[in-house]
Amino acid sequence: MSELRTLGEFIVEKQHDFPHASGELSSLLASIRLAAKIVNREINKAGLVDITGATGVDNIQGEEQQKLDAYANDKFKAALEARDQVCGVASEEEDEAVAFNKELNKNAKYVVLMDPLDGSTNIDVNVSVGTIFSIYRRVSEVGTPPTEEDFLQPGNKQVAAGYVIYGSSTMLVYTTGNGVNGFTYDPSLGTFCLSHENMTIPQDGRIYSINEGNYVRFPTGVKKYIKFCQENVPEDNRPYTSRYIGSLVADFHRNLLKGGIYLYPRTESHPKGKLRLLYECNPMAFLIEQAGGIATDGNQRIMDIKPTELHQRVPLFIGSTNMVKTVHRFLEQYPDEE
Ligand code: P6P
């Protein structure tokens, strides 16, 4: 049996990749690990206790906030605030960015952006959901409250990003810019153990993930790509297959392991796309590029987009390089009037 390497050991080991690292990012990642364990515990009980269902409160997205959304948001915020590396958090569940004002956060160097529980409407039907996080070094003066500028940085400034997938097993997958590594939670030990070292996405794949219920309103190029997948059998005789879970983290994770593409173009109900740039698209884009794939909004690299607002939405095409490039060819061949 290969040696057991825990997430904690791995974080410290990799910290030495950064000779001048002061251990602050390592400690920040450890706080995310702690919150992931706490949220995992509650999610696994979701069917048993009255914590599922909606709170009756809508978040800024106008989406009915699920009780576990609020719970996950509170636990991740508390875990991040309890240590001295983070000066503020932006979250899908918070209208505005939250500044941490305790004395111990005063000289913190990092901000965190997160979707505390993505895909939460799937909880009541026992489908995998996830937490997505994105970490930046603050750009405003240390010792002062964080500013909007700290949170509206382009994705290419991220220092770390990752997700927790609460599925048939719970995994934490993250990057600090030196590849992608996955850790599976062992409840008997209460620890995340390295299970997927140096994760890379195949350059090509046969899985396409898109909500075809929106087909009639897709851009022409996207419609042509879907038909291409349905009508073409590649040389290796492995036909394309449609797989859409309705939970970004779950679709992304499967495509990362097996090869594939996830597409969320603009639609009638979401003319700018549905997914949020800062705490869904950018962290996933960092991960996929570190794993050898690509992520665009149909025109440009996701991580080069200059954000203008906290909950900004963009179209998302992310996954195996050759598949994303094929979509681009159709989008260029069949341009739609804006
Ligand atoms: P639709 C969940 O709400 C989410 O943000 C992603 O996790 C998921 O991929 C997508 O939206 C599902 O959206 O419109 O297909 O139900």
Side-chain angles (χ1 to χ4, degrees):
M1 172 179 153
S2 63
E3 78 192 88
L4 196 64
R5 290 167 75 189
T6 68
L7 174 57
E9 291 162 342
F10 189 88
I11 289 171
V12 173
E13 184 189 304
K14 290 300 176 185
Q15 175 182 310
H16 300 320
D17 290 351
F18 300 88
H20 307 298
S22 56
E24 288 172 310
L25 181 59
S26 299
S27 184
L28 199 175
L29 289 168
S31 60
I32 289 176
R33 176 189 59 189
L34 173 61
K37 292 181 184 179
I38 294 169
V39 171
N40 176 63
R41 182 184 59 196
E42 289 310 311
I43 284 180
N44 285 344
K45 293 188 302 190
L48 301 175
V49 297
D50 177 31
I51 196 165
T52 57
T55 57
V57 174
D58 285 357
N59 63 20
I60 190 168
Q61 325 297 337
E63 293 164 349
E64 194 169 52
Q65 196 169 47
Q66 302 296 317
K67 286 179 183 174
L68 268 175
D69 275 347
Y71 179 86
N73 190 54
D74 292 348
K75 293 305 174 190
F76 275 94
K77 271 198 311 183
L80 293 168
E81 188 172 26
R83 305 202 187 186
D84 61 0
Q85 303 84 26
V86 177
C87 61
V89 163
S91 165
E92 181 189 78
E93 302 306 327
E94 303 282 352
D95 297 355
E96 307 295 332
V98 176
F100 292 155
N101 299 316
K102 289 181 181 168
E103 191 57 28
L104 88 164
N105 311 114
K106 190 167 177 216
N107 295 316
K109 294 183 190 149
Y110 295 98
V111 293
V112 176
L113 297 95
M114 65 179 180
D115 183 353
L117 209 58
D118 180 70
S120 53
T121 51
N122 288 312
I123 291 165
D124 288 349
V125 293
N126 210 3
V127 166
S128 301
V129 292
T131 298
I132 308 171
F133 60 89
S134 173
I135 303 171
Y136 291 84
R137 211 168 273 103
R138 70 179 298 177
V139 292
S140 58
E141 186 188 349
V142 172
T144 64
T147 65
E148 189 178 55
E149 192 188 5
D150 293 316
F151 297 99
L152 296 184
Q153 299 183 60
N156 55 41
K157 299 288 188 190
Q158 292 175 97
V159 293
Y163 60 83
V164 184
I165 177 167
Y166 310 98
S168 46
S169 65
T170 293
M171 280 190 69
L172 191 151
V173 177
Y174 82 100
T175 182
T176 55
N178 281 318
V180 178
N181 292 284
F183 301 80
T184 299
Y185 186 61
D186 180 338
S188 68
L189 298 175
T191 188
F192 284 95
C193 302
L194 182 62
S195 54
H196 297 67
E197 189 163 9
N198 195 23
M199 299 173 82
T200 53
I201 185 169
Q203 289 298 291
D204 221 326
R206 294 291 176 268
I207 297 171
Y208 64 100
S209 309
I210 188 168
N211 183 342
E212 296 191 44
N214 298 316
Y215 180 85
V216 292
R217 294 286 179 276
F218 283 152
T220 306
V222 171
K223 291 180 181 175
K224 294 291 186 183
Y225 178 70
I226 292 172
K227 288 303 165 204
F228 166 82
C229 292
Q230 292 170 343
E231 293 163 1
N232 268 277
V233 179
E235 313 74 65
D236 61 7
N237 286 322
R238 285 189 307 130
Y240 289 91
T241 187
S242 174
R243 287 283 184 276
Y244 191 71
I245 298 170
S247 189
L248 169 62
V249 173
D251 281 314
F252 179 95
H253 186 71
R254 181 207 50 243
N255 292 350
L256 172 59
L257 292 171
K258 294 182 177 291
I261 183 172
Y262 172 97
L263 308 89
Y264 209 107
R266 62 175 189 275
T267 64
E268 186 176 12
S269 55
H270 293 102
K272 292 187 177 174
K274 177 182 182 186
L275 298 176
R276 291 79 164 183
L277 172 60
L278 292 183
Y279 41 79
E280 289 176 332
C281 300
N282 270 332
M284 295 316 229
F286 192 12
L287 285 162
I288 209 72
E289 290 197 5
Q290 284 292 312
I294 53 179
T296 77
D297 66 354
N299 291 309
Q300 61 182 311
R301 184 178 176 234
I302 287 287
M303 292 210 285
D304 289 341
I305 298 174
K306 177 70 182 90
T308 53
E309 54 185 77
L310 213 48
H311 301 288
Q312 169 176 359
R313 300 175 192 265
V314 294
L316 179 64
F317 302 87
I318 188 168
S320 294
T321 297
N322 295 345
M323 299 181 83
V324 176
K325 286 181 175 176
T326 301
V327 174
H328 272 237
R329 281 204 302 278
F330 283 107
L331 290 170
E332 285 151 21
Q333 193 176 349
Y334 301 95
D336 281 348
E337 59 290 341
E338 284 300 318

